[in-house]
Structure formats: C-alpha cells, structure tokens
Amino acid sequence: MNAVLRPARVQDIAELRQLYFEVYGHGYPVPLGSDPVVMRRLITNGTAHWLTARADGGTLVGSAVVLTEPGSRIGKLVGLAVHPGHRGGGLASRLTGAVCDEAFATGRLDSVYATVRVVTEGPQHVVVRNGFRPLGLLPNAVEVDGCETLALFARYADGVLEHRAPVAHVPERLSALLSAAGRGVGIDYASVDHSDTPGPPRDHSDHVGRAGRRAGGEHIELIAAPAFVRRRFLEVFAQADARFFPLHTPNAVLVAADGRFEAYADLDPVAGSCALVAVHPRPAAVAGALETLIATVTRAGADYVEALLPLADTAALRVFLDSGFVPSALYPAMRRVPGPDQDRHGDRFHDYVVLSRTSRQIDFRSAAVSPLLQPYLGAYLSAWTATYLPLPEVSR
C-alpha cells in the first residue's frame, strides 16, 4: 500500500480519535486514542514519536506512537492502529518499523518495549518482523474486549544486550522463565545459580478471601489523589536514579497503618490493572502485607497487579513470590547503570523481572500464542502450578 507516513499534527486529532474508535470501538483503554487533551500534549511536548499514515486520497488510515519520558532511556510502542479497510498490505509493519527507527535514531533510547494483544497472532508477527524479541506473557493484564492477556516484546539498540551486568543467583521459581528467555532473547542463563531449597508449600487458595479476613490486623490506607501522590513520590524518591518504572506515573499510594512502608501505584480501574511503581523504604518492606494490599487495590477496581523488580534483588523477589505473585516476563538489559567513565563505555545494563498476580480466573483457550511465546506460556504455567498447586497436595 502506498500510504504516506508523516508526523502527527494537532489538526489530526479528530481523525485519529475516529480511527481508534473504528479499530477498537469503545473498549480502547488508553487516553492516547480517546482523550484530545492527552493527544495534544503528546504531539506538542516532544516526548512522543507519532507517525500517521494517509491513503492516496488523503484519508487517515494508520497510526503508531513511541512514548518516551525525560531521564529515561526506554520507550514504549503504543497506539498501533490500521483501519480495517486497509489491512493486509503491510502497513502495520511499515508504521512500526518507521516509528521505532525514528525513535532510536535520536540516540537517546536503549530499548523500546511493546505490550501486544494475543487475540490473534498478527500483532506478534508485526513486532517480531521489526526486530522485537519476546520477553513473556502478562495474563489478565488489561480489560479491552473482556479480560485479556498481553505479550511483552522489546527491541534493543545496538550493543545493549552485550553489556548486561551478570546475575549470580535467583530464586528457583524463576528458573523456567530464565530458560524461556534464553531461547526467546538469545541469552545464556545456564551459569545462574537457582539451587535454593524451597520452603514449605504455601496455601494461596482463596487468597482474596483470606486477605479480607486478615485486614483486621493489617490496615492499609489507599490515597487516590494524583497531584498529591506525585508530589509525595518526588519528595520520597528525590534522586532520579531511585525511581525506576518507565512510563508509569503513580496516581495512588498505599500506606501501612504503622507507617513502615508506602507503596506507590499506577492504578487504572478502566483497564482493571495496577502497577506497583515503587515501595519506600525498599520493596521487601511489604513483607507480610501484600495479601491486604492486593485486597485493597482489588476493591479499587484492579483485578491485575504487577511489580517490576531487579533480577538481582533476591530478597524482594522472595517476598513477592511467597505472596502469590507469579514470574511473568523477563526484561534483560532494561536499566542502564553508569560506569566510572564519562563516555558510557563502562555502563552496564541490569535485568528486571515482571511479577504479576490476578484475582480473576485465567483462561488461555482463546489466546493466540505464537511459537515464539510458547516457552513463556510453559514457564508461566509451571510457575503458577508451583505457587498455587503444590505437588504434594496434587499427589494426594
């Protein structure tokens, strides 16, 4: 298709909103495709690379965006949409490649990630053809046309994966995910030790109900005041390098009654999801309170909760794993850590893990999981079984 690609303009907003409606209907949970104020800001403030596609007659038929943020070297591919009447000609792949090439050409990004719906295999093939690598699955991550699973992919700038910081040890429950990532990304994790001896099996059945019953002894306050939360977040995490959950801005904070932790969250009841952006004073401080925290955000409308933790932070990983979180995706070389020199030759990149937990039944029967993602599906099922169906109980 001989569509013309060009940067989005403010004058395009009305047509873009119509395009997203025709592609997704009323179910698109991202303001980028529906809120004109957000769309205008992204087009004009320099934090987004946004390309549109117009057919020969001038009709707007496609859109793709790479979001960025100041101080972060990670982008996110979002808003990929092609009008139903103009599919099948490679326009989605062309838009994806062009907008990512433009973003990487600035030299300010180390990687771009994408969360892709798995209702069909088509979107998965589009990103893979443009250099993205599979990183995992996020079951029940979003409410679009019902509760849907997303697949996580990332594309890297040259040389990034070759400068990863090594990890010596991880909890045993991450072994299947590391094996899947080794095949999906091409990284050898064979030398990583995961020989820890698991503790007694934990009973995670009926976890929402048990969380509610425990709430009497562990009170957590949810403060959903976005402006206040952002100010407080910047005060608590005054150093930029202490804040790391790219492209997520907290709009709520969960505070323990005894003050021992503050958990900052990006809570989205429309999408039914919650990202735990940061915990003060450290992620492991939520030990013993995660059940109640999950119950609190569930009541606020989030059926899905995810946390992003360094692969090397064994203590925090154990806290979340022991509270029913399941390793869902591995993002190798996600975070750049400056080296001692000033020309970045000594910089190293740290791996991160996405841990998720959902209070709704997971149903993969309608998911179109491509062969590249099959190892991650197997790893998730293995980890979920180890968490919620301990083998001694199954054998009885």
Side-chain angles (χ1 to χ4, degrees):
M1 179 182 180
N2 295 321
V4 176
L5 306 189
R6 71 182 188 191
R9 305 171 301 170
V10 171
Q11 300 95 302
D12 298 330
I13 289 177
E15 289 180 275
L16 283 164
R17 293 180 70 197
Q18 182 62 31
L19 172 67
Y20 284 105
F21 175 77
E22 291 176 354
V23 173
Y24 295 103
H26 291 290
Y28 194 58
V30 181
L32 173 147
S34 58
D35 187 331
V37 175
V38 172
M39 297 169 78
R40 175 183 288 271
R41 184 174 70 247
L42 291 174
I43 290 172
T44 59
N45 72 358
T47 60
H49 301 269
W50 195 331
L51 292 183
T52 63
R54 291 187 177 273
D56 294 337
T59 304
L60 194 149
V61 296
S63 171
V65 187
V66 170
L67 297 178
T68 65
E69 62 185 1
S72 172
R73 295 186 58 84
I74 296 175
K76 182 179 183 181
L77 174 67
V78 296
L80 177 61
V82 173
H83 190 279
H86 295 267
R87 293 173 183 168
L91 181 56
S93 183
R94 185 180 164 204
L95 271 167
T96 299
V99 76
C100 289
D101 288 345
E102 178 184 295
F104 278 113
T106 65
R108 295 193 292 269
L109 294 180
D110 296 317
S111 63
V112 171
Y113 74 92
T115 51
V116 178
R117 299 173 71 193
V118 294
V119 289
T120 66
E121 287 193 29
Q124 302 166 53
H125 296 310
V126 167
V127 293
V128 169
R129 282 197 296 269
N130 284 283
F132 283 76
R133 309 186 193 201
L135 304 183
L137 291 168
L138 309 175
N140 287 4
V142 67
E143 185 78 26
V144 182
D145 185 13
C147 195
E148 292 189 14
T149 292
L150 299 179
L152 180 65
F153 290 83
R155 172 175 162 177
Y156 294 89
D158 293 342
V160 168
L161 287 174
E162 289 72 29
H163 291 86
R164 293 173 46 256
V167 176
H169 180 84
V170 300
E172 192 275 336
R173 278 170 283 179
L174 292 176
S175 59
L177 178 60
L178 263 62
S179 178
R183 297 192 292 274
V185 187
I187 294 174
D188 184 7
Y189 284 104
S191 61
V192 178
D193 175 41
H194 45 76
S195 58
D196 59 308
T197 302
R202 293 173 56 91
D203 178 15
H204 295 292
S205 61
D206 190 26
H207 55 267
V208 174
R210 289 188 302 108
R213 289 192 293 273
R214 291 179 182 177
E218 180 64 50
H219 181 65
I220 292 180
E221 295 180 342
L222 172 63
I223 303 172
F228 165 77
V229 170
R230 284 194 294 270
R231 290 196 301 271
R232 174 66 178 169
F233 179 69
L234 294 176
E235 291 172 359
V236 172
F237 297 95
Q239 300 299 319
D241 60 1
R243 307 187 295 267
F244 186 76
F245 203 130
L247 301 161
H248 282 269
T249 301
N251 58 11
V253 60
L254 297 116
V255 183
D258 60 6
R260 74 178 187 275
F261 70 80
E262 296 178 8
Y264 292 84
D266 183 355
L267 181 62
D268 187 350
V270 175
S273 66
C274 175
L276 294 179
V277 176
V279 178
H280 176 74
R282 61 190 181 283
V286 296
L290 272 174
E291 293 286 352
T292 310
L293 187 150
I294 296 297
T296 303
V297 298
T298 299
R299 288 193 296 270
D303 299 308
Y304 168 87
V305 183
E306 70 179 26
L308 180 70
L309 297 173
L311 183 60
D313 190 347
T314 303
L317 289 171
R318 287 187 188 281
V319 168
F320 281 81
L321 290 170
D322 287 343
S323 292
F325 278 76
V326 178
S328 304
L330 181 68
Y331 199 135
M334 186 178 192
R335 185 177 190 178
R336 180 190 285 261
V337 177
D341 57 5
Q342 300 300 314
D343 58 6
R344 292 192 165 167
H345 290 309
D347 292 0
R348 287 293 179 264
F349 295 88
H350 290 210
D351 299 353
Y352 274 71
V353 180
V354 179
L355 302 171
S356 67
R357 179 166 157 171
T358 175
S359 59
R360 294 174 65 172
Q361 179 178 339
I362 303 171
D363 188 350
F364 289 115
R365 289 176 297 179
S366 62
V369 179
S370 67
L372 282 172
L373 288 169
Q374 285 291 338
Y376 291 104
L377 177 58
Y380 183 86
L381 293 174
S382 174
W384 188 95
T385 299
T387 300
Y388 291 99
L389 296 176
L391 292 180
E393 294 186 12
V394 174
S395 63
R396 291 200 298 268

